[in-house]
Amino acid sequence: MQNSQLKSSQRISAVKLTSANLEQSLRSLKTQFCCRLELLSSTKTAAMENGEIPENANEHCPGPNSETAGKSDACQGCPNQEVCATAPKGPDPDLVAIVERMATVKHKILILSGKGGVGKSTFSAQLSFALAAKEFQVGLLDIDICGPSIPKMLGLEGQDIHQSNLGWSPVYVESNLGVMSIGFMLPNPDEAVIWRGPRKNGLIKQFLKDVYWGELDFLVVDAPPGTSDEHISIVQFLQATGIDGAIIVTTPQQVSLIDVRKEVNFCKKVGVPVLGVVENMSGLCQPLMDFRFLRMTETGEHTDVTEKVIEYMREKAPEMVDLIAASEVFDSSGGGAAKMCREMGVPFLGKVPLDPHLCKAAEEGKSCFVDQKCGVSAPALKHIIEKLMTNYWPEEMAVEQ
């Protein structure tokens, strides 16, 4: 009798547990379904605002920007009829404001990458430092909404944006180097930015039309990796103002170059010239005396013998003290970025080695050009920047000289 009651109780508990799980699963499915509906709706609305005809439109759709959108006979029964009828018509008035704001900016450069973690933001920061050191008026715009690292790399963490009657004021590193990033707006630097495409696009548009840069020689735009909403938006918003082109940053291995090819094709499709490709982290290079020397024991532990090795070199082989040691970190047997550039018909700007001192400069928000510490990477970066100036902005070189 007791066993029978126990089994009955267990069955009732199992039913209750199953019922509770089912209710929780249904709630979860409902939430996911609503999120997907919201995503589809926001994506469709954004596309229609850009003048694109939805895939599910009627056969003779007049277009969402037409004065008869949502009102003509061809719109009857279309699932988008209400959205089209109430959507704003004609050209986006914000684009006019962007054109006016960008009229005082001579050159606009996009910094792109196929993958994250290739040093794109480091290159953007050091390019901006270098141009400012040449006495140019420089602006650095960070449109990596979800991963804004530019404030850290410019030494501006904790700074705030101020507003004046002219618009938002950039945060300045020097009097001729201003920076704008969503990183200045976050109440907590660890705060995650969980935004969908339309909201990201809205902030990028606001950066372009509301930030008062003043007279600029160069506006460097640090974009997130890939070819997503941010890239389409920045090209669309700046196209009427003229974009000088894009610099694409990669590492030597094929895993990165596969996505860089997509980035090059993206630029070709949207009509943005590729100014060139930079192969970053092209081998580890640093002075031999900066290395630590270790001896591995039989148990796999490491013993530091750096002092002994350096003392021995100074006594027995002093000519080795000034040597630079180099090692391949990524596999470049496939020809690296140089080969890819030849195949795709785009300029190859050069290689920048993986330099621990450059990494430290980025962590500290400093320029790698101000002292001799970045003795391996700084000359490589300087050579690339000089090549860019000579090939694309010779008139600015003449003014500088």
Side-chain angles (χ1 to χ4, degrees):
M1 182 68 177
Q2 288 180 349
N3 288 340
S4 176
Q5 288 177 343
L6 179 62
K7 288 180 181 179
S8 176
S9 173
Q10 288 174 342
R11 280 198 301 270
I12 292 171
S13 297
V15 170
K16 287 181 179 178
L17 182 62
T18 304
S19 176
N21 287 346
L22 180 60
E23 186 177 348
Q24 184 178 357
S25 298
L26 286 173
R27 280 200 303 268
S28 176
L29 284 171
K30 184 178 179 182
T31 302
Q32 291 178 30
F33 181 69
C34 290
C35 287
R36 290 186 180 183
L37 277 180
E38 181 187 343
L39 175 60
L40 288 170
S41 175
S42 62
T43 304
K44 183 191 295 182
T45 303
M48 291 172 69
E49 287 177 354
N50 292 333
E52 299 175 20
I53 296 177
E55 293 181 1
N56 61 343
N58 288 356
E59 184 178 357
H60 300 292
C61 173
N65 280 345
S66 169
E67 292 295 332
T68 61
K71 303 171 186 176
S72 72
D73 294 338
C75 299
Q76 298 302 316
C78 177
N80 309 299
Q81 184 175 7
E82 184 179 351
V83 176
C84 286
T86 56
K89 306 297 186 295
D92 186 347
D94 287 334
L95 294 182
V96 178
I98 291 172
V99 170
E100 291 175 353
R101 186 68 84 180
M102 290 292 114
T104 58
V105 180
K106 288 185 184 178
H107 305 290
K108 306 165 197 73
I109 311 166
L110 306 183
I111 311 297
L112 309 175
S113 69
K115 279 198 174 298
V118 299
K120 170 187 54 60
S121 294
T122 300
F123 182 82
S124 298
Q126 297 305 323
L127 173 62
S128 301
F129 276 130
L131 292 173
K134 292 177 177 289
E135 302 300 326
F136 292 119
Q137 296 294 323
V138 183
L140 176 53
L141 175 59
D142 182 7
I143 63 166
D144 193 341
I145 308 299
C146 295
S149 53
I150 288 298
K152 171 74 173 175
M153 293 187 174
L154 274 293
L156 297 174
E157 284 185 301
Q159 298 293 318
D160 295 320
I161 296 172
H162 299 286
Q163 193 162 6
S164 69
N165 58 337
L166 295 173
W168 290 354
S169 297
V171 179
Y172 284 91
V173 184
E174 302 287 348
S175 60
N176 65 332
L177 176 53
V179 181
M180 180 55 67
S181 170
I182 192 178
F184 300 132
M185 303 177 176
L186 300 178
N188 180 347
D190 298 331
E191 192 76 27
V193 180
I194 308 173
W195 287 4
R196 299 191 193 278
R199 196 171 177 189
K200 292 180 183 178
N201 300 344
L203 181 62
I204 293 171
K205 181 186 285 187
Q206 197 164 4
F207 278 158
L208 294 174
K209 73 183 181 69
D210 290 345
V211 176
Y212 178 67
W213 298 100
E215 299 281 341
L216 283 186
D217 295 304
F218 292 95
L219 177 63
V220 179
V221 181
D222 184 56
T227 54
S228 56
D229 289 322
E230 294 94 325
H231 306 80
I232 298 169
S233 295
I234 195 69
V235 171
Q236 178 190 351
F237 297 150
L238 285 181
Q239 204 119 47
T241 72
I243 303 173
D244 288 57
I247 300 170
I248 303 175
V249 182
T250 182
T251 45
Q253 77 275 34
Q254 289 298 316
V255 171
S256 178
L257 293 172
I258 287 170
D259 289 333
V260 170
R261 291 174 182 272
K262 297 181 179 71
E263 203 78 35
V264 171
N265 284 323
F266 166 81
C267 291
K268 290 179 178 179
K269 286 181 180 179
V270 298
V272 174
V274 177
L275 302 179
V277 176
V278 174
E279 184 178 285
N280 196 28
M281 306 185 196
S282 185
L284 172 65
C285 291
Q286 67 180 102
L288 187 61
M289 303 300 281
D290 287 352
F291 276 91
R292 289 178 60 214
F293 296 90
L294 306 174
R295 176 181 284 127
M296 184 180 290
T297 64
E298 293 180 358
T299 58
E301 296 178 350
H302 292 159
T303 303
D304 194 323
V305 294
T306 304
E307 290 185 9
K308 292 181 180 179
V309 172
I310 290 177
E311 183 180 351
Y312 180 85
M313 282 193 293
R314 282 178 174 157
E315 290 181 3
K316 305 295 184 181
E319 68 276 7
M320 296 181 64
V321 171
D322 296 327
L323 290 180
I324 292 175
S327 174
E328 291 291 329
V329 177
F330 300 109
D331 179 24
S332 59
S333 59
K339 182 182 177 184
M340 183 214 69
C341 288
R342 290 193 300 271
E343 292 173 350
M344 301 202 72
V346 294
F348 177 62
L349 294 174
K351 301 179 179 182
V352 180
L354 182 59
D355 181 359
H357 290 289
L358 176 60
C359 299
K360 187 176 181 182
E363 286 287 309
E364 294 176 352
K366 296 178 180 178
S367 168
C368 71
F369 304 103
V370 295
D371 53 35
Q372 302 300 316
K373 291 183 179 178
C374 299
V376 175
S377 55
L381 284 165
K382 186 177 180 181
H383 174 70
I384 289 171
I385 293 165
E386 294 297 333
K387 184 184 287 189
L388 284 166
M389 297 297 297
T390 303
N391 292 349
Y392 300 107
W393 307 294
E395 73 282 2
E396 303 296 349
M397 288 279 285
V399 171
E400 179 199 0
Q401 291 168 357

